[in-house]
Amino acid sequence: MAFSVTGVHHVGITVRDMQRSFEWYSRMFGVEPGPVHHGEGPDLERGVQAPGAKLSFSMIRIGNVNIEFLQYHEPEGRDWDRTNGDVGSAHVCLVVDDMDRAYAELIERGAVFNGPPVTLTDGDLAGSRWAYLRDPDGIQLEIWQYPTT
């Protein structure tokens, strides 16, 4: 018997300070965090491959996707120091309806972008626009606008 994948439940991001991340994501994108849960014990340690793991976790729902924030209280992790070109690097891309307005408003709210929006000029994605920014932990995010017709 075969199984099938029916969707994506969440994308997880480990953060230094969950409250700071909640405040930032709420200010930037107008989202509300869900309840905070806590985990520890041998099953968690084995599952996340972190001896002595104690963590808090919570979900924020954006559209049809959950973003899970995890804050490890033990062991203390290293700060994010990867680039997009490093193996294993990932990012969350959020769809916006108006790139120019989103870019301007996010800057007004304190967002730091890697550069101004880029417009794709050829191929199947021609007319799409994107821009990368970083959250308070330096984790890459992207905003994306589909071509307007």
Side-chain angles (χ1 to χ4, degrees), residues 33-114:
V36 176
H37 306 278
H38 305 281
E40 63 180 278
D43 290 339
L44 176 68
E45 292 176 33
R46 186 172 37 260
V48 299
Q49 296 184 323
K54 294 180 183 177
L55 58 83
S56 298
F57 58 99
S58 181
M59 301 278 184
I60 287 181
R61 186 138 182 105
I62 300 177
N64 64 343
V65 174
N66 293 305
I67 299 177
E68 179 186 33
F69 292 94
L70 302 109
Q71 179 182 339
Y72 280 78
H73 306 290
E74 294 180 28
E76 185 174 339
R78 295 183 304 268
D79 286 338
W80 179 253
D81 65 352
R82 307 286 95 187
T83 69
N84 280 335
D86 291 325
V87 173
S89 289
H91 66 274
V92 175
C93 181
L94 306 173
V95 177
V96 298
D97 60 354
D98 183 328
M99 178 62 74
D100 292 326
R101 189 157 70 192
Y103 182 74
E105 287 182 20
L106 289 168
I107 287 174
E108 285 176 13
R109 296 173 192 169
V112 177
F113 281 86
N114 298 358

